[in-house]
Structure formats: C-alpha cells, structure tokens
Amino acid sequence: MAPKVWTTFTAKKSNGSDVKLRIQDMPPERLEEVLNFFDDYYNQNNAFYKLLGVSKNPKAVQESIEGMRQMFKAAPTKIVICCMDNGDAKPEIVGATAAGVTTSKDNIDDFMNFNIKTKEVTELYALFFELMKLYDVFKGKNVDRYSDERGLAVSKDYGVAVLKELLNVRRKLCKELNVPLSAFWAMSTDQQNAAEADGWETAFEVTRDEVAKKLGVTITEDPATYRLVVGTAL
C-alpha cells in the first residue's frame, strides 16, 4: 500500500528555484535514513547539542541517534517526511517530523530506557528534561494527553515555508493520534516563525539567559527567547 500523502505544495530552494514537494507517511524501510536526517539537520542545529559538543564525539553522536530510536519505540509515534514530488520510487527527503504521544500518567524516565554511556548525551538529556519542566502542558492546557515533538527538521536548502507545512500536518496528525493538541519547544528563529505562520499559540516563553542561568550554562546562540508553542488539532 502506498504511503498516505497529507499535502502537496511548491517551495523555493535557497537557490531560488521552485520545487514540487509532498508530505507523506514515512515508509518503514526509510527509518534509518530519517534518523540520520534528524541528526544532520535537527540534532546538529540544536543549541544544547552544540553547547555540549556532542558532534565532536562520534560515540555521542551514535548514542543520540539511538536515543531518538528509543523515543520512537517508547510511545505511539507518527513520522512523516517531506520529499520531492517528482515520481521517483524513493524521492529525496528534504524535511521530517516525528509526533509522539505523552499522557499525564507517563514517567519521563521511561522514554529513555537504555543505558547511556557518554557524558555528552547524559548532559544533553538532563538539559532537555529541565527545559520540559518549565511549563506543564497538562495543567496549562487542561488536557490529559497531547502530541509531543520527537524531531522536526528541514534541509538547509529550504526554510520556514517547509517547516510551516510540516507543522500544519502535525496538527492534522492529532486526530490520528487521538489527542486534542500538539506542543513543542521552538528553539530556533525559523521554528518560531513557522509556528506563528501556521497559527500556533505561544503558551510559554522564557529568555535564553534565564534558561542558561537555571541550567548553569552559557548560551550565546540566537534566538534570544525559547517558546513552548501549541497547535490545536485540525
């Protein structure tokens, strides 16, 4: 059976050319490719990833990829890819997002039920978990379950337009995942602009300096604030 196509659209590459794209369910056999894509464009561009120098340790890089794989297994997860709409049997992937489900009964430690060995990844998850504690989606939005982010990335040849389409599909996925809304921490200017363009609400915002002080680290990379954004189901 052919993967479900959620939307088709045209976007501009960084060189100015127009390209036809589609967002579809990820074929299972492309999982490893998607994991590597996330590492190239999601992990490597994350402020915490850079801060801790994860990319400088090959073992830490592999462990961070394994961490994503474990997250995909820990709870219901839906992965969609944005790819060329050119008739190829295996079209080039230019974007991807993974939407998981978190409930009020979940224990966050269950999502990382594998033996972490590297110092970098241990500290990486510690920072992420501290960030997640800053805003309680369950209480703030009066829900007992929601779709969280397990990955959101776009190739450097594209930008906000493709991110916006992926976020729009994330909202559509809510019905399939049986949740009322989707939420994630927008930690880049492109993510924040895409969320705003697709009508996501900023439920909580904190300055980069406040986060750095709370975590006992120094963060100098933009944006100046991080936003917990919420998109209602479509």
Side-chain angles (χ1 to χ4, degrees), residues 7-9 23 160-170:
T7 186
T8 59
F9 61 102
I23 296 177
V160 173
V162 174
L163 277 172
K164 175 182 177 293
E165 294 291 340
L166 284 168
L167 289 179
N168 187 261
V169 170
R170 281 275 295 276

Side-chain angles (χ1 to χ4, degrees), residues 109-137:
D109 293 333
D110 293 339
F111 288 78
M112 288 293 109
N113 59 349
F114 74 106
N115 185 24
I116 302 174
K117 298 179 180 179
T118 65
K119 175 178 179 289
E120 293 88 347
V121 174
T122 299
E123 294 179 349
L124 179 68
Y125 289 145
L127 293 183
F128 275 130
F129 291 162
E130 286 301 315
L131 184 69
M132 292 169 64
K133 293 176 184 177
L134 294 179
Y135 181 80
D136 189 328
V137 177

